[in-house]
Amino acid sequence: MPNDRLLMIVEDDEAFARTLKRSFERRGYDVLLADSQEALEKLLETHDPGYAVVDLKLGAQSGLPCVQRLHAHDPAMLIVVLTGFASIATAVEAIKLGATNYLAKPSNTDDIEAAFARSGGDPAAPLGPRPTSIKTLEWEHIHEVLKDSDFNISEAARRLGMHRRTLARKLAKRQVG
């Protein structure tokens, strides 16, 4: 299959994956679905996608190894990471591992296609002070610890010195998508 319109979607939410698949197919893409890194590996044995959309959190696993694997498979592939757990730390890691863009959920097909088109970056992006609240700093710290603990909520709660249920409640409150 030619990779110029072949899209790999790595998403464990079956309903969301099917919705994205149908939407991209209406736009002329051939779409492959994987719900785990293992499923991704099998598909990469026989397919060479030019595009990929990867969920940052695949069940209890991180989607970052999938980003790394896709980039290793084809460094020219345009990879967009979608997440309901957006943080600066995970955005930086995703880009370092080969993602071309990073979007917070909810994102639709238009947003994802626009992210594919913006893969080169914008050197004229305006710089300015970023006001940071205590809540934002807490949120970013929580996600840094989550990333460092491979998205294991129990381990992250232990490292943060809080009860697992408290952390789960905080994540549920701020989760997008």
Side-chain angles (χ1 to χ4, degrees):
M1 227 181 248
N3 70 4
D4 60 333
R5 296 298 281 184
L6 182 58
L7 169 69
M8 175 74 69
I9 297 175
V10 184
E11 170 66 63
D12 64 333
D13 179 338
E14 212 174 300
F16 182 63
R18 276 195 319 270
T19 300
L20 265 184
K21 180 179 191 290
R22 282 192 303 267
S23 185
F24 273 105
E25 285 175 339
R26 283 193 298 270
R27 293 171 186 238
Y29 288 84
D30 293 314
V31 181
L32 302 168
L33 296 178
D35 62 358
S36 65
Q37 186 166 1
E38 295 75 26
L40 171 66
E41 293 290 345
K42 282 187 103 77
L43 288 169
L44 288 178
E45 290 173 8
T46 56
H47 297 86
D48 292 313
Y51 301 90
V53 176
V54 179
D55 187 11
L56 181 64
K57 194 165 188 284
L58 300 169
Q61 303 293 312
S62 167
L64 292 176
C66 294
V67 172
Q68 185 177 34
R69 176 64 179 102
L70 286 161
H71 183 68
H73 182 77
D74 180 0
M77 186 184 310
L78 299 178
I79 305 167
V80 172
V81 173
L82 290 182
T83 183
F85 301 91
S87 74
I88 291 172
T90 54
V92 168
E93 291 304 316
I95 299 302
K96 287 191 318 190
L97 291 171
T100 52
N101 227 311
Y102 182 94
L103 299 173
K105 288 180 180 177
S107 293
N108 60 29
T109 309
D110 291 332
D111 299 331
I112 296 167
E113 272 198 322
F116 286 144
R118 290 189 317 268
S119 64
D122 181 7
L127 298 177
R130 178 180 161 245
T132 303
S133 70
I134 295 295
K135 285 185 177 187
T136 301
L137 288 173
E138 177 190 39
W139 187 244
E140 290 176 358
H141 180 64
I142 286 171
H143 283 292
E144 176 70 27
V145 172
L146 269 171
K147 179 186 71 70
D148 290 344
S149 59
D150 292 325
F151 296 91
N152 180 319
I153 291 178
S154 296
E155 176 62 17
R158 187 188 65 73
R159 291 181 187 184
L160 289 165
M162 67 174 62
H163 194 279
R164 183 191 57 75
R165 279 185 253 155
T166 302
L167 177 58
R169 273 190 231 106
K170 283 181 179 285
L171 292 171
K173 269 188 205 176
R174 291 284 304 259
Q175 182 176 347
V176 181

